[in-house]
Amino acid sequence: MYLTRIDKPIGTLLLFYPCTYSLHTPVTTPLVYTVLFGTGALVMRGAGCTINDMWDQRLDRAVERTRERPLARDDITQRQALIFLAGQLGIGLGVLLQLNWYSILLGASSLSVVTIYPLMKRITHWPQAVLGLAFNWGAMLGWSAVAGAVDWHFTIASMLIRIKKTM
């Protein structure tokens, strides 16, 4: 469970809030969306942490703040982490399949941003921009789950505000 940073819930909340923020009609939006996005945020934040730790295992050993992470300490192997990641992604897919097709494709496309974030820490001085994009992808997803499509004007404005706050 420490691989998912379950003991540090702020990341899950940062993933969850944009989803629920964009459920633009909270009085009439079914509670099921809030539960789906809450579950998705918990599982996918954990998957992002797993991917990050798989990329950074050797680097994490050399950094005081990260050397106690399960992969850095060799508590689990890369293979075990990969199997765990597959389970997380399977649960995330199960959540995603409860939404409309537009939202399914939009949600699946977020994996590219989640996967490249650890690389961005190595090749740019602005990895927080990629992390902000990953955290705020849910703003598009929440909106499309309810409306069936994305209102790009509202969504981009919301994402830019939130990305600026993460930097």
Side-chain angles (χ1 to χ4, degrees):
M1 294 312 291
Y2 285 119
L3 190 60
T4 68
R5 317 264 203 292
I6 195 90
D7 58 324
K8 296 176 179 120
I10 189 65
T12 300
L13 294 174
L14 288 172
L15 198 55
F16 176 66
Y17 288 155
C19 297
T20 56
Y21 175 75
S22 65
L23 294 174
H24 54 89
T25 54
V27 175
T28 60
T29 300
L31 181 62
V32 70
Y33 285 118
T34 305
V35 172
L36 286 171
F37 285 121
T39 303
L42 179 68
V43 171
M44 293 311 294
R45 190 284 180 122
C49 291
T50 301
I51 291 168
N52 183 70
D53 288 3
M54 290 174 73
W55 275 71
D56 288 348
Q57 181 178 10
R58 283 184 236 134
L59 289 173
D60 285 348
R61 289 181 184 140
V63 177
E64 180 67 33
R65 182 180 66 82
T66 59
R67 71 172 47 132
E68 293 300 314
R69 291 182 178 168
L71 276 164
R73 283 192 325 215
D74 289 325
D75 289 345
I76 61 172
T77 65
Q78 283 280 338
R79 186 176 194 284
Q80 289 169 320
L82 183 62
I83 291 167
F84 182 61
L85 176 62
Q88 290 173 300
L89 294 176
I91 293 169
L93 178 61
V95 169
L96 198 58
L97 290 176
Q98 305 306 306
L99 306 177
N100 59 56
W101 279 106
Y102 186 94
S103 299
I104 291 168
L105 294 173
L106 189 62
S109 66
S110 72
L111 287 177
S112 60
V113 177
V114 172
T115 302
I116 65 164
Y117 166 68
L119 177 62
M120 293 299 111
K121 293 186 291 184
R122 291 171 174 82
I123 65 171
T124 180
H125 294 291
W126 294 94
Q128 299 90 343
V130 177
L131 186 60
L133 183 60
F135 274 131
N136 290 290
W137 203 272
M140 295 184 291
L141 197 55
W143 188 284
S144 71
V146 173
V150 171
D151 180 330
W152 289 103
H153 179 270
F154 174 82
T155 303
I156 290 171
S158 173
M159 288 175 69
L160 289 174
I161 290 167
R162 290 194 162 292
I163 288 171
K164 184 177 178 184
K165 288 181 181 181
T166 63
M167 295 173 69

